[in-house]
Amino acid sequence: PITQALRAGQYGQALRLLEPALEARPQDAALWTLRGVTLARLGRTDESLRSYRTALKFEPRSLAALRGAAEVEYQARRPEARDTLEKILALDPRDATAHAMLATLAYERWDCAAAAAHFERGRAVVDGTASALWQFGHCLFALGRPLDAAAVFERLSAMDPANDQVRFNIALCLY
């Protein structure tokens, strides 16, 4: 019933169903994770993060709880987001979303070497996100890889053909 309520977008109902379930099984990491999801959908991010962290206390290698916590931390640009994302990659090195998030965090620190490495590993997510492609192209250019940057800006141009800045960057990279 809890997952059905979540799928139906009935977050208040899901939360009401979770409370007695957690009273009966207070150390159930899956229930705490569902509570985190529910609270996040209700916009109660601090409570959501506490629920994810409780789940991780009982099951430290729970990818669902780690991913939920990482999403909340990343959106709020909390400093612990990086550590949480690294934990995800330790368990699932091919997680494209974690790589894409780490890439953006590295870009925001002006660490283009780390950003480019993560952008490359997160291509499945990056290629569909204009801001990530912009950051990726910028980092490749800054790292002295103008032809690689031009290819990234070409992908961005395919998403937004009328963007003069993107076309300028392609020309600059090729020059």
Side-chain angles (χ1 to χ4, degrees):
I2 296 167
T3 55
Q4 288 174 338
L6 276 171
R7 285 187 189 121
Q10 298 170 336
Y11 307 124
Q13 175 67 14
L15 195 56
R16 283 188 292 279
L17 292 168
L18 276 162
E19 297 311 322
L22 280 166
E23 284 180 26
R25 299 189 334 247
Q27 295 183 352
D28 187 323
L31 288 175
W32 282 106
T33 300
L34 285 173
R35 186 174 190 271
V37 170
T38 303
L39 290 166
R41 301 251 171 89
L42 287 168
R44 295 163 56 182
T45 55
D46 288 338
E47 292 174 84
S48 171
L49 190 52
R50 281 193 295 276
S51 291
Y52 288 130
R53 288 183 178 153
T54 301
L56 291 166
K57 184 172 62 173
F58 298 121
E59 193 178 326
R61 297 173 55 88
S62 167
L63 275 172
L66 283 167
R67 286 177 175 137
E71 184 178 341
V72 171
E73 293 166 351
Y74 174 82
Q75 288 175 352
R77 291 304 193 263
R78 290 175 172 254
E80 60 269 27
R82 199 165 141 197
D83 290 337
T84 305
L85 290 164
E86 293 289 353
K87 288 176 186 174
I88 292 169
L89 291 178
L91 295 170
D92 182 5
R94 291 179 282 162
D95 187 310
T97 301
H99 279 295
M101 288 177 172
L102 277 171
T104 294
L105 293 175
Y107 178 84
E108 290 171 355
R109 293 189 320 274
W110 299 105
D111 183 352
C112 275
H118 284 295
F119 279 130
E120 287 170 346
R121 291 183 194 111
R123 278 252 168 102
V125 172
V126 171
D127 281 346
T129 309
S131 61
L133 285 171
W134 180 269
Q135 294 169 355
F136 188 21
H138 177 263
C139 277
L140 289 171
F141 187 80
L143 291 169
R145 296 171 53 190
L147 294 180
D148 293 334
V152 170
F153 285 125
E154 287 283 353
R155 290 197 304 272
L156 181 56
S157 182
M159 293 172 75
D160 186 5
N163 189 321
D164 291 336
Q165 280 187 313
V166 174
R167 290 197 315 255
F168 175 82
N169 281 357
I170 294 168
L172 180 64
C173 289
L174 294 175
Y175 176 76

